[in-house]
Amino acid sequence: MESDRIAELLFPNIDKTPEYYEEKYPERDLPEGAMVTRLGPSPTGFIHLGNLYGAFVDERLAHQSGGKFFLRIEDTDDKRYVEGAVDVIINSLDFFGIEFDEGATQEGDKGDYGPYTQSLRGDIYQCFAKKLVAEGKAYPCFLTEEEIAEIRERQELAKVTPGIYGEYASCRDWSYDQVVKALGERRPYVIRLRSDGYPPEAYINGSDDKAIKKIRVKDAIRGTLEMPANFLDTVILKTTGIPTYHFAHVVDDHLMRTTHVVRGAEWLPSLPIHIELFEKLGWKPPVYCHTAQLMKLDENGNKRKLSKRKDPELSLDYYRNEGYHAAALREYLLTILNSNFEEWRMKNEDAPIEDFKFTTKKMSNSGALFDINKLNDVAKDVMLKIPAKDIAEWLRSWSDQFAPEYADMFEDMDYLEKILDIGREDRKPRKDLVYARQIVDFISYFFDKHFKIEDQIPEEVPAEDVKKILDAYLAGYDHSDDQNGWFGKIREIATDLGYAARPKDYKKNPDDYKGHVGHVSTVIRIALMGRATSPDVWTIQQIMGEDMTRARIRKYIEENC
């Protein structure tokens, strides 16, 4: 057959057979029902929330079924490759606790189905491209960019679907001699799939021998999808010999024995191409799971897609730089991934997230609404369940990488742990801790290097009273006082200076008092913490110690009174 000769002509150095690779990468020895999933980011220098969103689905499906989850670097688009981007991908996913069983790592590949970087799998792709050419299912196309542009112009004038197919695929049925001649002239070429489909115009024209060809694909999230079959002679190998995404992922998912492919809805239009490639290669396609796009509400309350240009929160760098705990982001993502997660969490407040039975059936097939405010609320609950000692260690690790200016906070870890534990064991626990950058700012007043006055003295307290309040506070300060004794002294200072002992007394008779005891205690709070609101002052002083407490008060008097 001429197609066999053309295949040998195009791929003279490919001596391995498809059977060789089938034997090299056998079916995985896994329990029945185990899923094999993969994450395949491109090293473009930008890893986004959608990658993490999909990775979490991949990880849950694989690990709760006893399967495998691997990382594959899809770097066939050399025009978009960014130096160092692979390290960014691996570090970002590791930061958020995504655990791969095998795949690309910074130390090299781990697993038996590699290489896990597509640029290192060139011979494999060419082997299967050679198979398709030999079987007459693919062909070399020598059309130049200028010729393709001319074809597009003709198609636009004729108002037909653009692309290379049918009468526009002039190299489709070239003979061996024509191919030899073109190669002899050193004309560049690509390898195109020889599609069996018909363009939409064929059906409109009513040709009797062209029954409308459609594909039916069962999507694990969207149910059964029916769409027109592919009719484009799409490129599978570029002029450089590098495969397109369409071809590379089909070959890799088969040989790596992927059972479920989780990817965004933007890939739905390409699904007919991928299904046809699987069919022509004689392989069973994996189960596709097309996730909903991540959306947000705009300023008018309308949903729109998260944008790389408009929304910094789309980038995973945003969450790393701000210091969101991996457990918080994972918990939040489950609230938008599975509609029944929040109900489960209410019934299982302290259960590990791994106990939740994740399912694609509970995933939205429309827009998944991302809400940074809700993420922060979820983070507060998650952080409350993490021991203060663990938070301190996590903060130190984050600071080392993203905020070294806070290094002094970690010189005394016992001190830091006490700070982080304030109010967490109360009957109504305080939920002050959200993400790392917010936390270090929230506790910064405990450290002289970061202390600053942020708020104003209450307007109910005249300037001349500020020094009187603080002088009296220092004169009566006894670090061994219990909380009741300590506050009793503040109440006494307040009444001596004409303030109501209780806020409700001032509210009833405001003309009888300058203010109330709360305004007096706020003066002390600002001198100590620089803020008008904070956790309990007595508790803070117990952690700061007497020396720091007295020094803060004195300094405030010296500089502000």
Side-chain angles (χ1 to χ4, degrees), residues 111-167:
D112 298 328
Y113 289 79
Y116 293 93
T117 299
Q118 288 184 332
S119 59
L120 302 178
R121 297 171 63 83
D123 285 354
I124 300 175
Y125 305 128
Q126 294 203 19
C127 171
F128 287 96
K130 180 178 181 179
K131 165 186 165 69
L132 290 178
V133 172
E135 294 174 352
K137 297 174 181 176
Y139 64 92
C141 175
F142 294 87
L143 287 170
T144 65
E145 290 185 13
E146 292 76 13
E147 288 171 325
I148 291 174
E150 184 183 328
I151 288 170
R152 185 174 294 274
E153 287 181 15
R154 286 165 47 203
Q155 291 170 331
E156 287 176 356
L157 288 172
K159 296 183 178 179
V160 298
T161 306
I164 303 302
Y165 58 88
E167 64 182 276

Side-chain angles (χ1 to χ4, degrees), residues 24-41:
K24 182 178 180 180
Y25 304 112
E27 293 285 348
R28 293 173 180 266
D29 184 16
L30 295 171
E32 185 176 351
M35 301 181 190
V36 178
T37 61
R38 49 78 169 171
L39 185 67

Side-chain angles (χ1 to χ4, degrees), residues 466-474 523-524 527 553 556-557 561:
V466 174
K467 186 174 187 305
K468 294 175 184 177
I469 291 169
L470 296 178
D471 281 341
Y473 187 71
L474 274 181
V523 172
I524 298 166
I553 299 291
Y556 187 91
I557 293 171
C561 296

Side-chain angles (χ1 to χ4, degrees), residues 39-62:
L39 185 67
S42 299
T44 60
F46 182 77
I47 181 163
H48 55 79
L49 191 63
N51 295 126
L52 187 64
Y53 181 81
F56 198 23
V57 178
D58 285 317
E59 188 269 336
R60 286 288 78 217
L61 292 178

Side-chain angles (χ1 to χ4, degrees), residues 395 406 409-410 415-417 419-422 432-433 436-448 450-451 531 535 544 552:
L395 276 176
Y406 293 108
M409 289 188 177
F410 307 99
Y415 179 60
L416 178 60
E417 187 178 335
I419 295 169
L420 295 171
D421 228 6
I422 293 176
D432 295 315
L433 311 183
R437 201 170 292 280
Q438 173 268 336
I439 293 171
V440 292
D441 178 69
F442 178 69
I443 66 173
S444 62
Y445 56 79
F446 279 97
F447 304 88
D448 288 335
H450 306 284
F451 173 72
R531 303 172 187 180
M544 283 183 170
R552 284 275 174 90

Side-chain angles (χ1 to χ4, degrees), residues 256-299:
M256 294 179 180
R257 310 301 172 176
T258 308
T259 65
H260 289 68
V261 171
V262 178
R263 62 187 187 182
E266 65 271 17
W267 288 106
L268 278 169
S270 301
L271 187 57
I273 296 173
H274 304 156
I275 294 301
E276 184 170 12
L277 280 167
F278 273 106
E279 289 175 351
K280 281 191 161 31
L281 287 161
W283 300 332
K284 179 182 176 182
V287 176
Y288 283 98
C289 314
H290 288 93
T291 60
Q293 291 182 322
L294 287 173
M295 313 287 283
K296 72 177 291 186
L297 294 179
D298 64 16
E299 58 276 7

